[in-house]
Amino acid sequence: KNNFSGTYLHQNNDKDTDIFKRTLNYILEDDIRKNVINALTLKYLNENDLVKSYYMTEGQILEMHSAGMLIGAHSVNHSVMSKLTLDKQNEEIHDSFSVIENIVKNKSLRVFCYPYGGHESYTCQTESLLKKNACQASFTTESRKVTKMDLLDRPYAIPRIDCNKFPYGACS
């Protein structure tokens, strides 16, 4: 079984928040996780307000795409890929590309960002599934400059610079 103790080390959370996030995202089975999130949302949050605050509309996606931005996939249910069966991983990858392509009407370039993004959140099999789904590249949350060797050796595990580390980059 995977060891997820290295998750959230680079976030500015208190210990209880780290434990809660690790339990919710890595330890609980997906059906239990979904029930916990649904119960917390019903009790403490307004789901419609959350959707408006955190998710782009199809119009916004189209506007960004029309302006030349690359729109990448990120899965459908935001599950830790390494916890899923290969069939379920493939479904998440395939369906997330389909959603984007149905909006932007463009199938020429496929990129993927792993939900949670750390090395423990995907496997070599996940990388193979991305390749089989005609994905050209995928990105992790490893925060460092990309090298030529990254692109040549592991195009399905490309690091990136964390925008939260830039001034004014942190989420509100």
Side-chain angles (χ1 to χ4, degrees):
K1 197 72 179 175
N2 290 315
N3 178 0
F4 303 116
S5 62
T7 57
Y8 305 110
L9 295 178
H10 301 290
Q11 293 184 1
N12 189 21
N13 302 325
D14 60 42
K15 181 180 175 185
D16 292 333
T17 300
D18 282 343
I19 291 169
F20 178 77
K21 289 173 79 170
R22 192 172 294 121
T23 300
L24 189 66
N25 296 323
Y26 289 92
I27 297 170
L28 292 178
E29 294 299 322
D30 279 349
D31 57 338
I32 296 171
R33 173 183 179 262
K34 184 178 179 179
N35 289 337
V36 169
I37 290 172
N38 286 342
L40 291 171
T41 300
L42 284 172
K43 184 165 180 148
Y44 297 107
L45 302 169
N46 180 311
E47 188 171 0
N48 290 329
D49 290 344
L50 281 176
V51 168
K52 289 177 186 174
S53 296
Y54 292 102
Y55 293 96
M56 292 188 302
T57 65
E58 286 188 16
Q60 290 168 324
I61 293 169
L62 277 171
E63 180 181 351
M64 292 172 66
H65 177 71
S66 296
M69 296 201 71
L70 176 63
I71 307 297
H74 191 56
S75 80
V76 175
N77 294 300
H78 206 270
S79 297
V80 175
M81 300 298 277
S82 61
K83 289 175 53 181
L84 303 177
T85 65
L86 291 180
D87 285 342
K88 187 65 178 165
Q89 286 186 55
N90 192 61
E91 183 180 315
E92 288 285 325
I93 292 166
H94 175 272
D95 291 356
S96 64
F97 283 129
S98 293
V99 167
I100 291 168
E101 290 164 357
N102 285 332
I103 295 170
V104 301
K105 309 294 186 230
N106 182 346
K107 296 182 182 184
S108 63
L109 186 59
R110 287 182 164 192
V111 296
F112 189 86
C113 291
Y114 297 106
Y116 307 99
H119 63 89
E120 64 284 318
S121 68
Y122 62 96
T123 65
C124 292
Q125 291 87 0
T126 312
E127 293 179 59
S128 294
L129 289 170
L130 286 162
K131 184 176 182 178
K132 287 179 185 175
N133 277 275
C135 180
Q136 285 88 3
S138 59
F139 297 88
T140 70
T141 56
E142 182 182 359
S143 187
R144 65 175 174 80
K145 290 182 180 179
V146 177
T147 67
K148 183 178 180 179
M149 295 311 293
D150 290 323
L151 300 174
L152 295 174
D153 290 346
R154 289 218 35 222
Y156 301 105
I158 299 172
R160 59 161 179 85
I161 302 298
D162 186 350
C163 66
N164 290 308
K165 294 184 178 183
F166 296 134
Y168 309 109
C171 294
S172 57

